[in-house]
Amino acid sequence: MKKKRVCLGILFLLVIAGSVVLYKVFRPKEIVLEFGMFAGSNWDVENPNSYVIIDQAIQEFEQEHPGVKIHYYSGVSREDYSEWLSRKLLNGEMPDIFMVLDEDFHKFSSMGVMKNLENLIEKDQTFDRGAFYETALAAGQYQEKQYAFPYETVPMLMFVNKTLLEQEGIQMPDADWNWEDLYEICRRVTRDTDGDGMLDQFATYNYSWLEAAYSNGVKLFDMDGKTCNLSGAETQEAILFAEKITALNGGHKVTQEDFNSGKVAFMPLSFAKYRTYKNYPYKIRKYKDFQWDCTTFPSQKRGDNKSIVDSLLVGISSRTKQEDLAWEFLKKLTYEEKTQMKILQYSQGASVLRKVMNSKEAEEILQKDIVKGGQIINVQVFNDILENGIITPKFANYQQVLSLADSEISSMFDENKNIESSLKKLQRSIEDYLQN
């Protein structure tokens, strides 16, 4: 009897051991989805909550998809991200899904690094691309095909010192104002307020020919970075108008501190900085002595009240082995209203979805930290900006070429050069550089 019990015990242990071996061999393997992201903000403002939205989205996604884990490397900065992602590509370790910086978008889409999403869009009956703001969605298109979705969007706005305007008896400009309106307001506010013979109240800070060109219908570069339009009549008109505005300052170099101290009427500002400095504690620290608000940029006859709309994109690797899961996680980040509402809660940008930005909850979030008596930007104005905004090209050397053009245009006035001939020469030089 004892011998029988021993044999049964051994048999039982063997069955257990065999079951463990079989489980390890045949159990469903955990699927790991690699996600590429960077820490901090894409908009040059402080953001201590950069991981909050992603971590919450990952937690929800893993709960919805048992056996799936999403992994990302923390601590990669915005400044190092492009190089980090390029190393991953060279090593054959490209993440399944990843954030795409402006300077990488053209390169990755033209090289086939990112998956063309058109087939996935057409196949998914639950997906409606019309849910996105048109400009934000268009930012992720290459050769009229969708290669990435927008995750967060930030337009440029005109920052207005309301207190200064009120002191001068000037009303806040309407959303459809024009260059003549801007110049007249600037002419009236630029003056010597203390009678010492020196100007101490100024028109604009950082309003340049670029803002004027965009609102005059100028398309400075083609999206592929092969041609530019620096010598056209509209561009010349914008450059001369911006110089006319600057000349009102009487040679005084207006600074950020001039604006901070309430001495300047207008300053271009991104929506991200608007949100950051509109609320506490930044409002107290920076703009404590005056009220301010934002509006559109003034337009000229050939243009519209348009400005740049920049969007942070997310794409899928063309080599992913988990296409369906990557697609679902891409939608989780960019298309799900719950996640997109968190953009407003934990970041400084705007949601890329119309329904989110037009919701009562979004209005409450944006209003919550604004100082007493302040107002959030008009929803209809904001919608118009996002629907009709300008997308800047995303070829690799765009910022360098733009900086070169800006520097050369500034020197034309400093050295009293002929604008028309100088612009033609500059255009030829830049196009030679772009095409070589």
Side-chain angles (χ1 to χ4, degrees), residues 372-392:
K372 186 176 180 180
Q375 293 181 340
I376 60 173
I377 188 170
N378 181 278
V379 172
Q380 186 56 54
V381 170
F382 195 77
N383 281 336
D384 289 344
I385 291 171
L386 290 181
E387 292 291 4
N388 304 305
I390 296 162
I391 306 168
T392 57

Side-chain angles (χ1 to χ4, degrees), residues 85-152:
L85 205 56
S86 294
R87 285 202 306 269
K88 288 288 183 182
L89 176 62
L90 289 174
N91 294 334
E93 301 172 348
M94 200 67 175
D96 298 280
I97 178 172
F98 52 94
M99 292 179 174
V100 188
L101 301 182
D102 280 358
E103 55 264 38
D104 293 328
F105 177 78
H106 184 272
K107 175 178 65 177
F108 286 161
S109 52
S110 63
M111 290 172 56
V113 174
M114 291 192 297
K115 183 177 290 295
N116 182 336
L117 302 176
E118 292 295 333
N119 288 337
L120 290 168
I121 292 172
E122 295 302 320
K123 201 167 59 173
D124 191 337
Q125 298 300 312
T126 69
F127 182 82
D128 175 18
R129 66 174 96 205
F132 292 97
Y133 282 109
E134 186 174 338
T135 301
L137 187 67
Q141 293 171 2
Y142 172 71
Q143 295 184 343
E144 299 183 352
K145 302 294 183 182
Q146 202 72 43
Y147 279 83
F149 284 158
Y151 169 71
E152 183 178 6

Side-chain angles (χ1 to χ4, degrees), residues 202-206 249 251-259 264:
F202 305 99
T204 64
Y205 169 66
N206 263 2
N249 295 326
H252 177 86
K253 186 174 178 59
V254 182
T255 66
Q256 175 80 60
E257 185 54 38
D258 288 324
F259 188 90
V264 183

Side-chain angles (χ1 to χ4, degrees), residues 157-160 172 269 274 278 292-296 377-378:
L157 303 165
M158 181 65 100
F159 196 4
V160 185
M172 180 81 178
L269 193 75
Y274 171 84
K278 183 78 173 178
W292 52 270
D293 215 325
C294 288
T295 188
T296 59
I377 188 170
N378 181 278

Side-chain angles (χ1 to χ4, degrees), residues 213-214 216-223 227-230 235 391 393:
Y214 292 135
N216 199 29
V218 176
K219 185 178 179 182
L220 288 172
F221 300 93
D222 72 331
M223 297 306 285
T227 62
C228 66
N229 177 26
L230 285 169
T235 308
I391 306 168

